[in-house]
Amino acid sequence: MAKIIVTSAWPYVNNVPHLGTLIGSLLSADFFARAMKLSGHDVIYVTGSDEHGTPIELEARKRGIEPRVLTDQIHEYDLKLFNEFNIEFSLYSRTESEVHKEFVKEMLMKIYNNGYIFEQTDILPYCPSDKMFLPDRYVEGTCPYCGYEHARGDQCDNCGRLLHPTELINPHCVLCGATPIFKETKHWFIDLRRLQGRLEEWLVNHKHMPDNVKKYSLSWLETGLKPRAVTRDIKWGIPAPFPGAKDKTIYVWFDALLGYVSATKEYLAMKTGNPDEWKKWWFDQETRTYFFIGKDNIPFHSIIFPAMLMASGDPYVLPYFISATEYLTFKGEQFSKSRGVGVWVDEALEIAPADYWRWVLARVRPEQRDMNFSWSEFYRIVNSELNDTIGNLVHRVLTLIYRKLGGKMPCKPKIDNEDEEMLETVREKAWSVVQKYEEVKIRAATEGILSIARIGNQYLNSTEPWKHVKSNKAKATSVLWIEANILHLIALTSWPIIPNASTRLWRMLGQKHEISEAQWSYIDRTPDKCVEIPQPEPLFNKLPEDFLERADQILDEAREKARLKRPPALKEYRVVG
RNA sequence: AGCGGGGUAGGGUAGCCUGGUAGCCCGCGGGGCUCAUAACCCCGAGGUCGGUGGUUCAAAUCCACCCCCCGCUACCA
């Protein structure tokens, strides 16, 4: 039994997450964490709200409220939605938690005391009317190279050149339009250069890191790491603990990444009463840590996070596996809040139950390339896969048992060679699904589940037990017993993806214990014999035939319903930058 | 521009690392079954694997160059 820590990128609480965020981080982590629980491993899944940083401070300022008021509301709302989505966290924390804030300060002081932090004075744009330093992206002006008028302070979107805000012609503040002045300000930098060698050695020799993460990270290292500022000139955040850094806060990334550790600490302290329990996990080199993120996040997890762990001088276990998905697009476009492109988590739940979404998103998980979400795919996956292939198999088998075998699972089924072979085949399939989960190949796992259902349908068609119930009851009974075993395997293997449906199926099979207590080893067991089963009910319902014609309208209605339930802070939220 | 990922039948995708007659799902055509949510099963048509050139007995797979899509490029998070 291994200790496994599963985490996912912390949702930034300026918004309700959309489907892309959900499948890239939270949901994928949940699939995996659940699968590992069935393996009998000791699994912790922690994540939480990322609530500091400039966008949130600005939004609060615009409304004349404290940032914390804003993040309280959104944190609570997000958490409610994730629960409705059946994401089974050990703890969903937040970066405003006391444990987290203390942990970040301690950690950064360790890094400081180990000599990895140095001070440097920069000249940065400052908006005199907003009275704040402007992050590069909050300054716009004319590109000195191509003349594009909306070049940002860090880069020109038109010609792609990297810029420094001082280079912009006619620079202005994105918030108020005023001309920024350039002012001196001191910041604290982590010297990543000094960790370059250790990071390189770690990554090059890493046995489990997926290729996309490894290649990307190594190319960063090849370019050479640069020092990176860990402080910011804003009020909303964790106060920088360094001597002389009174008015500075910690840059959100250095804050949020450490949440992986602090949330583990918080959870285990609550669970065991021992505030140091977390060290048994994070300081144990045998612990496996899994990170679920989108492709835009790779270097933060593969370089900056491990760099911090190394720089602390404590014996942290470094990331074991980073699963970085590509992007989910909506009708071929990127999700966009401002243009209303996409589906948000609360809207999704107004359209279909959580299990449907969980299954659909698992099926279109962008594991190798960007994946498109379209209503026609949604419709196909729900109706053809969930309903026809899986749901209908469940229903036809259970109905046969209910009507032809007196509503009772066989007591002493006599299994012939053909049955025996079938059982072996599907058990092998089920084990291969487990293997896919372990490799974090979620789509392949769902593919395997479907193929088990298809095999079940084929076997039923070829053996025709409905014909044999009178002429050869023994054979009909044994075939249905094998089919019951197949449903048992479907319930087990699909539990990480569609826990509700799986649990219902488990009960319809009359099982005595709960599926959440099951283990993968049950694959080689039979379901309980001789037990009564309840009258079967459809596991899923189809989307109506006119769904595709009405999809846009359905989304509009769902959007309106969801909007009414949103907390005040989200009703008309707009993010700048 | 640099770096990383991707481009496979009408649609959606697997295979690529570790070369050896291109697999699966939907859709389409034909047939079967009637237990089941008009569901299920079988058979068939449909692909010169983005382009060009190279390595090899053999290339979707390896190499080079080119075209197109996505991301990142260190102060958005």
Side-chain angles (χ1 to χ4, degrees):
Chain A
M1 189 161 101
K3 289 202 277 282
I4 296 183
I5 297 173
V6 180
T7 74
S8 54
W10 290 37
Y12 195 62
V13 286
N14 61 351
N15 221 326
V16 182
H18 55 64
L19 295 180
T21 312
L22 195 65
I23 187 56
S25 56
L26 296 141
L27 244 197
S28 290
D30 190 51
F31 297 153
F32 181 73
R34 284 172 179 270
M36 289 304 100
K37 284 175 196 167
L38 290 183
S39 296
H41 294 306
D42 212 350
V43 180
I44 290 180
Y45 174 16
V46 287
T47 179
S49 292
D50 178 6
E51 44 189 329
H52 297 138
T54 308
I56 286 172
E57 182 178 83
L58 287 175
E59 182 60 27
R61 183 195 290 200
K62 206 164 82 187
R63 291 162 177 270
I65 57 175
E66 288 300 312
R68 176 66 192 248
V69 175
L70 201 71
T71 60
D72 276 350
Q73 286 180 18
I74 303 177
H75 172 76
E76 196 189 333
Y77 186 67
D78 279 359
L79 179 55
K80 187 190 106 199
L81 293 170
F82 300 150
N83 283 331
E84 286 173 18
F85 245 92
N86 270 308
I87 295 172
E88 205 173 59
F89 308 110
S90 304
L91 175 70
Y92 187 79
S93 188
R94 54 190 297 180
T95 55
E96 270 288 289
S97 103
E98 290 307 316
V99 174
H100 176 72
K101 289 193 276 190
E102 278 316 300
F103 183 80
V104 169
K105 285 189 235 173
E106 270 171 38
M107 186 77 169
L108 284 165
M109 275 315 286
K110 279 191 177 175
I111 296 172
Y112 180 88
N113 288 330
N114 289 337
Y116 287 99
I117 305 274
F118 66 89
E119 299 170 26
Q120 188 176 300
T121 300
D122 274 349
I123 295 178
L124 294 176
Y126 179 89
C127 175
S129 88
D130 287 315
K131 296 191 173 53
M132 64 180 284
F133 280 95
L134 297 169
D136 288 354
R137 301 209 173 193
Y138 287 80
V139 185
E140 267 188 19
T142 303
C143 174
Y145 300 100
C146 74
Y148 181 64
E149 287 181 11
H150 298 285
R152 294 175 323 206
D154 55 343
Q155 182 172 30
C156 172
D157 280 337
N158 188 49
C159 67
R161 285 240 203 192
L162 298 184
L163 304 173
H164 191 272
T166 49
E167 294 179 275
L168 290 173
I169 300 161
N170 295 325
H172 56 266
C173 168
V174 167
L175 306 169
C176 69
T179 304
I181 55 173
F182 289 88
K183 256 174 76 162
E184 275 200 354
T185 178
K186 188 159 67 172
H187 280 294
W188 278 253
F189 289 73
I190 181 168
D191 196 352
L192 296 173
R193 291 170 299 194
R194 295 184 43 205
L195 294 158
Q196 165 113 14
R198 282 176 71 188
L199 285 165
E200 228 161 50
E201 199 195 338
W202 168 65
L203 267 169
V204 167
N205 297 316
H206 205 298
K207 297 285 187 298
H208 318 283
M209 199 58 78
D211 259 7
N212 60 342
V213 172
K214 205 166 178 171
K215 280 187 187 159
Y216 189 94
S217 311
L218 287 173
S219 88
W220 251 51
L221 288 166
E222 218 167 288
T223 318
L225 297 179
K226 300 173 198 165
R228 210 171 157 119
V230 301
T231 52
R232 286 292 182 275
D233 279 309
I234 63 173
K235 289 203 180 66
W236 176 234
I238 299 177
F242 315 120
K246 229 175 80 192
D247 299 326
K248 313 284 174 178
T249 49
I250 298 300
Y251 174 39
V252 272
W253 263 113
F254 289 87
D255 159 357
L257 288 167
L258 293 175
Y260 297 138
V261 184
S262 74
T264 313
K265 178 178 178 178
E266 186 183 353
Y267 167 67
L268 287 170
M270 277 187 329
K271 191 182 163 200
T272 67
N274 174 11
D276 284 333
E277 187 72 14
W278 66 278
K279 292 180 182 168
K280 293 183 189 162
W281 290 67
W282 279 96
F283 291 176
D284 178 351
Q285 297 306 305
E286 298 302 308
T287 298
R288 282 146 52 181
T289 56
Y290 287 80
F291 302 79
F292 290 83
I293 62 172
K295 63 174 161 183
D296 51 336
N297 261 317
I298 292 172
F300 294 100
H301 291 79
S302 65
I303 292 182
I304 291 176
F305 181 62
M308 282 197 280
L309 299 182
M310 288 173 180
S312 74
D314 286 329
Y316 279 98
V317 60
L318 299 173
Y320 181 86
F321 193 99
I322 298 172
S323 172
T325 54
E326 302 293 311
Y327 276 177
L328 187 70
T329 57
F330 181 77
K331 295 179 177 177
E333 281 188 274
Q334 263 203 58
F335 281 71
S336 161
K337 170 76 181 169
S338 54
R339 289 180 300 130
V341 176
V343 182
W344 276 260
V345 170
D346 49 356
E347 298 165 359
L349 289 169
E350 301 289 342
I351 296 173
D355 267 7
Y356 292 36
W357 285 105
R358 290 176 61 108
W359 179 265
V360 170
L361 291 171
R363 296 291 291 144
V364 299
R365 183 168 187 259
E367 294 181 355
Q368 188 162 49
R369 60 182 122 186
D370 289 356
M371 284 287 203
N372 190 231
F373 176 91
S374 64
W375 290 118
S376 59
E377 271 296 282
F378 179 79
Y379 181 82
R380 181 187 72 75
I381 292 169
V382 170
N383 281 13
S384 161
E385 297 185 350
L386 273 183
N387 277 277
D388 296 346
T389 304
I390 298 174
N392 183 51
L393 172 70
V394 168
H395 201 245
R396 62 197 296 221
V397 169
L398 291 176
T399 306
L400 281 166
I401 294 176
Y402 191 75
R403 295 203 185 132
K404 311 287 185 190
L405 300 184
K408 217 170 148 187
M409 293 283 252
C411 293
K412 288 180 182 172
K414 283 188 190 132
I415 295 183
D416 61 21
N417 284 343
E418 185 191 25
D419 294 332
E420 189 62 49
E421 270 174 41
M422 179 46 56
L423 195 52
E424 255 170 58
T425 303
V426 285
R427 280 180 175 163
E428 243 170 69
K429 269 278 176 209
W431 279 116
S432 81
V433 171
V434 174
Q435 179 68 30
K436 297 303 177 194
Y437 280 128
E438 272 163 10
E439 293 167 3
V440 199
K441 292 180 176 165
I442 306 296
R443 298 186 63 213
T446 58
E447 202 66 64
I449 295 165
L450 282 167
S451 81
I452 293 172
R454 288 188 187 111
I455 293 169
N457 276 316
Q458 281 161 14
Y459 196 56
L460 216 46
N461 278 49
S462 67
T463 53
E464 304 182 305
W466 54 89
K467 265 188 190 166
H468 297 291
V469 268
K470 280 177 189 150
S471 56
N472 185 353
K473 182 131 189 197
K475 178 61 181 173
T477 304
S478 73
V479 165
L480 289 176
W481 172 243
I482 298 303
E483 291 290 344
N485 273 270
I486 290 176
L487 300 192
H488 181 246
L489 293 175
I490 289 173
L492 282 169
T493 51
S494 70
W495 183 75
I497 314 279
I498 42 174
N500 279 158
S502 156
T503 303
R504 282 186 59 217
L505 172 54
W506 195 256
R507 292 197 183 124
M508 285 198 276
L509 286 166
Q511 299 306 290
K512 289 169 192 151
H513 56 285
E514 293 295 317
I515 190 169
S516 53
E517 296 157 16
Q519 305 259 299
W520 290 130
S521 58
Y522 286 30
I523 287 170
D524 292 325
R525 294 190 197 176
T526 62
D528 295 330
K529 291 194 183 82
C530 228
V531 292
E532 297 213 350
I533 64 162
Q535 179 159 12
E537 282 169 13
L539 210 47
F540 307 104
N541 294 302
K542 281 201 175 195
L543 298 167
E545 267 178 50
D546 62 351
F547 181 86
L548 286 179
E549 297 150 38
R550 296 197 302 119
D552 289 332
Q553 183 199 338
I554 289 170
L555 178 58
D556 284 345
E557 287 165 13
R559 189 159 283 179
E560 183 56 22
K561 275 193 213 162
R563 200 182 66 80
L564 295 172
K565 295 180 188 171
R566 287 184 178 182
L570 274 173
K571 287 251 162 69
E572 279 175 41
Y573 196 89
R574 282 288 176 277
V575 188
V576 183

